[in-house]
Amino acid sequence: MPVRPIPRVLALVAALALVLAACGGGDKGGAGGAGAKSGGTMIFAASSDPKSLDPAFISDGESIRITNQLYEGLVATKPGGLDIVPSLAESWTPSADGKAWTFKLRSGVKFHDGTDFNAEAVCFNFDRQYNFKGLAQSDAVSYYWVSVFGGFSDKKEPSLYAGCEASDPQTAVIKLTHPSSSFLAALSLSSFSIQSPTALKQYKADEIGGTEDSPRFSAYGLEHPTGTGPFKFSSFKAGDRTEIVRNDDYWGKKSTLDKVIFRTIADGAARRQALEAKEIQGYDNVDPNDVEALKANFQVLQRPAFNIAYVGMNQAKPPLDNIKIRQAVAYALNKDALLKAKYPPGSQAAVDFMPPDVPGYNPDVNPYKYDPAKAKQLIAESGVKNPTIEFWYPTDVSRPYMPDPAGNFQAFKADLEKVGFKIVPKSAPWSPDYLDAYQAGKAQMYLVGWTGDFGDADNFLGVFFQAEKPEWGFKNPKIFGLLDAAERETDQAKRETLYKQAAVEIAKFVPGVPYAHTGPFLAFAKNVQGYVPSPVTTELFNSVTLGGQ
Amino acid sequence: MLKFTVRRLVQLVPILLGLSILVFVWVRALPGGPANALLGERASAQSIEEIRRELGLDRPVWVQYFSYMGRVVRFDLGTSISSRRPVLTEINERFPATVELSLAAMVFAVGVGVPLGFLAAKRYQDWFDQGSMVGSLLGVSVPVFFLGLVLKYVFAVKLGWLPSVGRETVTSTAPHPTGYYVLDSIVTLDPAALLDSVRHLILPAVALGTIPLAIVTRITRAAVLDVAGADYVRTARAKGMQPRVVDRRHILKNAMLPVATVIGLQTGLLLSGAILTETVFAWGGMGDWIYRAINNRDYAVIQGGILFLAIVFVVVNLLVDLSYAILDPRIRTR
């Protein structure tokens, strides 16, 4: 039988190979431009599309990464740190009763649409959020307003916000219903950025149409976001990219980059390969397992830790209502061994329920140093025979503070069994099953953690312990009272003392065991310079330059 | 023919109704809900309840279903809770990506698989046949995402010949009137954009097309072996017909019937199942979108997406059935 087609197939393969080779070495996507000292395009991989670029409506990291470039708030955090520094406000003073904050505003600032930034714009933005109606009031939409200010103008829930006055174009006074000192740090959140009132009105940013189960958001958020920041919005393409361009009229340090493109690449391995293939110049949340390998050809940066991993204990579920049992758990866990075995370099063992950079951090609380003998003794003293605990851990997830939950579980389980606990393993997929179970108070002991939003102790200790929560299952008026007092105190030094006291009480009460802080990693091509990692991820691209390759 | 098509389309209605109920109930039977997924570790029992109320999820399921179907018949598939954009808009943007990738994968699978299967049959049991059969066994066994990562490592990272992610170079400003990038570049007469989109298609198409390639090769081989022994082939040869003509007119054409079925089924599967390939190549299509929607309990996307893909699957199968009539005139006359 003649076999003529073979040469044809071979020819086809050969032709394909030729085409491939011809295509090779061409455009590599990365438009940084060899040798470009200024200008150029920076391509950064995002793990998802932004939900919206209207900062009032977002709380997710990928949206905020971009809004940080487009907008500014009255105050900001110092690059690389948590100190509050001037931004659109040059200075501020709280009133004696702590209920009115006067902000002196920067002059000569313009929004991207050419309109003036002034006190009226400031008040417009705060009043706007205060007057949100219907779905816009949802935690899912205006999360940060709800968590910082509480209720809205319809007074269904009490609100911290009492009003805003533009006493002259450069002076805005924000009034509160009660003194709050976490308020100032909270203003550094992207959600309280000042947007152009003209653009907000023109594009009907607040209009959420449709029905409850099919809401329609305004086109403002993904088509016309308008702020004062170092970059202006250029375009958004779902599932693909968001482009921003340099704001040549920026009042501060102008960017040398012409453009920044945030390319959506959901898969972590794909982000790494895209960097290696020179299609992007940087990405966030590098898998700690990739760090060593990437260091050879790329820059790997680490953010200062701004999170906490802890073992939660639900006191509504005996025997965890017994403080000796909780103390025994705390002494039984070998944090240092776990960190050494399972955590990326640069991770720290935790003692307080917040990271060390946060003002009010107390390094001197009882650290419950690993002591299995003491744990055994405490169990004996507790009067509980053969203590059995259901220990929950999440599957299908890796969090910066908990890269391998199953690994943490195994290590802690072994520690606890060594001192005489009987451990019943329980696991569930992280979202939503696991979160649902532990937040509803169904889990007895569980692995979880928290990444802060802004650099204030209230955002850690306040979130965990200021009120009764099903996941902890306790009422402790002393702890609740100290945290309430700390939140109301406007004197920063006094506040810090109160948080330190609260930390001591918390450590005595052992509601859970804090065990690790980690700093997430970022990777960049070698020619990227000037990226300053921030604990709260407020990293601005106007400080970034692309050097020669 | 028309009657057949209409009857098949009418049959679609109960199928889709049943499917819509199934999907509707299924997503609500999943533990947790959109509120937890939206708020993550920040969710409180109160905020979860509030969001359920706001999304109308506190109503009885049948009330929710009828309200949903009421909107579906008006072509409103709802709004995604995670992207906050209408589901139909997202389908419009993402479906062309999935179609383009699936077709490219099928072009690869058929373009290579049919000749390979044909040759294997012609060289029954010699080294070429054995080799291609082992190869196709490997093809169906290698996990797609792994193959994708390996292909990218070799051709994008090490050799730098082809891009590793996306459908076009991210700095490209080529217009996309249809959303089908290859077609767009042809319509707008832009050879650079054509080359760019084809280069982006190659690796994902090969990764995705490997399993269909293996299946098409095997089916073609079996069908050709079957037909080659038929009486009419022997007759054709006996009357002195050119071997090439026998191969083309009598063997290949008659062997194509089972192959067409497989191609149709595989295309339907690809359209609905390119999840891993799309994720690994950041392709921005339907598969990756629905997969993430399931994780986020994004009910509107899961319901709308699955319903839409079900329609596509049924329509593709209908087209396969219609293609029989073209390949085999006997079916037409029946």
Side-chain angles (χ1 to χ4, degrees), chain B residues 11-266:
Chain B
Q11 279 171 357
L12 195 58
V13 175
I15 294 176
L16 290 179
L17 268 179
L19 189 80
S20 69
I21 295 175
L22 219 68
V23 172
F24 203 86
V25 173
W26 170 69
V27 292
R28 278 160 183 75
L30 291 171
N36 312 53
L38 271 176
L39 297 177
E41 56 214 2
R42 296 168 176 145
S44 67
Q46 189 199 349
S47 58
I48 288 171
E49 220 16 78
E50 217 153 88
I51 287 175
R52 281 179 56 81
R53 206 177 55 240
E54 278 153 10
L55 296 175
L57 297 173
D58 55 342
R59 300 171 298 170
V61 174
W62 62 271
V63 175
Q64 293 179 45
Y65 179 76
F66 283 111
S67 135
Y68 176 70
M69 288 313 282
R71 282 183 288 110
V72 168
V73 294
R74 283 173 280 142
F75 296 101
D76 175 5
L77 293 180
T79 304
S80 156
I81 51 152
S82 40
S83 76
R84 299 183 183 164
R85 305 171 68 235
V87 170
L88 210 57
T89 310
E90 296 221 37
I91 289 179
N92 257 328
E93 289 164 356
R94 289 173 179 275
F95 189 57
T98 298
V99 172
E100 200 167 71
L101 177 58
S102 304
L103 287 184
M106 279 324 282
V107 166
F108 167 71
V110 174
V112 180
V114 170
L116 209 61
F118 182 76
L119 282 181
K122 299 295 277 185
R123 312 183 72 177
Y124 181 58
Q125 288 200 333
D126 82 351
W127 63 269
F128 185 87
D129 181 31
Q130 309 277 0
S132 60
M133 286 306 101
V134 171
S136 68
L137 192 66
L138 272 176
V140 286
S141 324
V142 176
V144 174
F145 75 93
F146 177 71
L147 182 65
L149 289 175
V150 170
L151 284 174
K152 289 205 303 178
Y153 181 74
V154 175
F155 292 99
V157 175
K158 282 291 148 194
L159 297 173
W161 289 359
L162 292 166
S164 75
V165 284
R167 295 177 68 197
E168 64 178 354
T169 302
V170 77
T171 46
S172 158
T173 50
H176 295 296
T178 68
Y180 296 87
Y181 286 14
V182 173
L183 188 66
D184 288 337
S185 59
I186 295 170
V187 172
T188 55
L189 302 174
D190 186 343
L194 176 64
L195 183 66
D196 189 41
S197 44
V198 169
R199 289 185 59 217
H200 279 81
L201 259 174
I202 294 173
L203 292 184
V206 170
L208 184 63
T210 302
I211 290 177
L213 164 68
I215 295 172
V216 167
T217 307
R218 290 185 152 242
I219 298 287
T220 307
R221 175 177 172 275
V224 169
L225 282 177
D226 198 33
V227 175
D231 291 347
Y232 55 84
V233 173
R234 196 184 49 202
T235 311
R237 285 201 186 113
K239 72 179 185 188
M241 192 181 266
Q242 285 271 328
R244 274 172 76 176
V245 181
V246 177
D247 283 351
R248 204 170 55 232
R249 277 207 210 139
H250 294 280
I251 300 185
L252 207 49
K253 191 166 179 195
N254 284 299
M256 278 301 103
L257 208 57
V259 177
T261 311
V262 170
I263 291 172
L265 284 174
Q266 288 295 320

Side-chain angles (χ1 to χ4, degrees), chain A residues 33-288:
Chain A
K37 288 285 177 211
S38 72
T41 299
M42 164 95 186
I43 302 167
F44 190 90
S47 63
S48 72
D49 283 342
K51 283 185 183 198
S52 168
L53 296 174
D54 179 343
F57 285 154
I58 53 174
S59 58
D60 66 298
E62 291 300 353
S63 304
I64 291 173
R65 190 196 306 286
I66 303 173
T67 58
N68 277 333
Q69 321 301 325
L70 302 177
Y71 302 96
E72 295 163 301
L74 293 174
V75 300
T77 51
K78 196 174 145 194
L82 294 174
D83 297 335
I84 298 298
V85 295
S87 181
L88 287 178
E90 287 178 319
S91 65
W92 52 86
T93 34
S95 63
D97 64 359
K99 296 209 292 195
W101 291 71
T102 304
F103 293 88
K104 284 283 171 205
L105 307 179
R106 200 171 290 283
S107 54
V109 177
K110 286 202 185 295
F111 288 107
H112 299 155
D113 60 0
T115 56
D116 287 329
F117 161 77
N118 52 32
E120 260 176 50
V122 172
C123 289
F124 182 91
N125 274 270
F126 282 94
D127 286 341
R128 170 196 179 213
Q129 296 202 40
Y130 183 55
N131 287 303
F132 277 163
K133 305 255 177 317
L135 197 69
Q137 293 188 358
S138 162
D139 271 15
V141 179
S142 50
Y143 170 78
Y144 282 121
W145 178 274
V146 175
S147 62
V148 173
F149 290 99
F152 296 85
S153 60
D154 57 16
K155 307 243 158 56
K156 278 190 224 152
E157 301 282 335
S159 181
L160 174 64
Y161 184 76
C164 177
E165 241 172 55
S167 45
D168 68 64
Q170 299 323 124
T171 312
V173 183
I174 296 178
K175 293 176 179 160
L176 307 177
T177 53
H178 61 83
S180 161
S181 39
S182 62
F183 160 74
L184 187 70
L187 286 191
S188 68
L189 285 166
S190 187
S191 290
F192 305 118
S193 302
I194 308 303
Q195 312 187 50
S196 159
T198 313
L200 287 172
K201 282 187 273 194
Q202 185 182 346
Y203 300 107
K204 301 187 171 66
D206 297 353
E207 257 178 35
I208 302 182
T211 55
E212 55 187 4
D213 43 0
S214 179
R216 292 277 184 272
F217 285 85
S218 154
Y220 170 81
L222 288 173
E223 289 172 24
H224 310 282
T226 312
T228 58
F231 289 91
K232 297 195 279 193
F233 175 76
S234 166
S235 68
F236 164 75
K237 192 158 175 240
D240 191 41
R241 67 185 105 151
T242 310
E243 289 187 15
I244 57 175
V245 293
R246 180 179 54 232
N247 173 12
D248 285 317
D249 302 320
Y250 185 51
W251 61 267
K253 180 181 160 34
K254 290 188 183 67
S255 171
T256 60
L257 300 172
D258 296 327
K259 195 190 263 192
V260 182
I261 299 177
F262 298 93
R263 176 162 222 182
T264 306
I265 305 176
D267 184 56
R271 286 198 292 277
R272 177 184 163 172
Q273 285 190 324
L275 180 72
E276 291 173 323
K278 302 189 175 69
E279 288 169 80
I280 59 170
Q281 287 143 335
Y283 72 99
D284 197 352
N285 288 323
V286 174
D287 185 333

Side-chain angles (χ1 to χ4, degrees), chain A residues 280-520:
Chain A
I280 59 170
Q281 287 143 335
Y283 72 99
D284 197 352
N285 288 323
V286 174
D287 185 333
N289 298 317
D290 290 343
V291 167
E292 283 311 310
L294 283 171
K295 273 183 180 166
N297 296 312
F298 302 92
Q299 309 174 58
V300 179
L301 307 179
Q302 188 171 25
R303 291 202 179 94
F306 198 59
N307 57 24
I308 173 81
Y310 60 88
V311 178
M313 292 190 266
N314 188 343
Q315 297 182 25
K317 291 182 177 285
L320 293 179
D321 55 336
N322 187 324
I323 189 161
K324 296 218 182 236
I325 292 290
R326 298 202 301 278
Q327 288 169 339
V329 170
Y331 279 115
L333 302 181
N334 191 347
K335 304 175 192 176
D336 292 329
L338 175 76
L339 257 63
K340 215 171 154 195
K342 296 275 178 195
Y343 275 71
S347 306
Q348 301 155 267
V351 289
D352 195 352
F353 273 87
M354 57 184 181
D357 283 359
V358 179
Y361 173 79
N362 190 346
D364 303 320
V365 297
N366 185 351
Y368 292 95
K369 252 187 134 26
Y370 178 56
D371 190 345
K374 192 151 188 182
K376 277 184 195 162
Q377 184 198 334
L378 282 161
I379 293 175
E381 287 169 13
S382 73
V384 180
K385 292 264 177 298
N386 305 318
T388 304
I389 297 177
E390 268 186 16
F391 192 177
W392 288 60
Y393 67 98
T395 55
D396 302 335
V397 72
S398 168
R399 306 297 285 182
Y401 48 76
M402 183 165 62
D404 172 19
N408 289 11
F409 168 79
Q410 290 301 343
F412 282 161
K413 176 172 177 272
D415 289 342
L416 291 166
E417 283 172 347
K418 206 158 88 185
V419 302
F421 283 103
K422 183 170 183 287
I423 297 299
V424 181
K426 285 267 182 185
S427 66
W430 171 253
S431 174
D433 315 11
Y434 184 81
L435 293 169
D436 190 33
Y438 100 80
Q439 281 163 354
K442 287 178 197 154
Q444 189 175 17
M445 190 157 93
Y446 48 92
L447 292 178
V448 70
W450 175 258
T451 299
D453 300 307
F454 54 96
D456 195 278
D458 181 54
N459 192 231
F460 285 88
L461 300 189
V463 168
F464 303 142
F465 302 122
Q466 200 164 347
E468 196 182 353
K469 285 178 121 180
E471 66 210 61
W472 300 110
F474 72 79
K475 264 190 217 169
N476 185 324
K478 195 167 183 183
I479 294 175
F480 295 168
L482 275 169
L483 292 173
D484 278 340
E487 194 199 346
R488 282 163 193 275
E489 179 58 63
T490 52
D491 183 298
Q492 190 58 24
K494 284 184 190 159
R495 285 189 76 211
E496 289 179 21
T497 311
L498 285 167
Y499 280 117
K500 284 183 177 170
Q501 284 173 10
V504 171
E505 289 305 318
I506 291 165
K508 269 191 209 158
F509 189 59
V510 215
V513 186
Y515 63 90
H517 306 291
T518 64

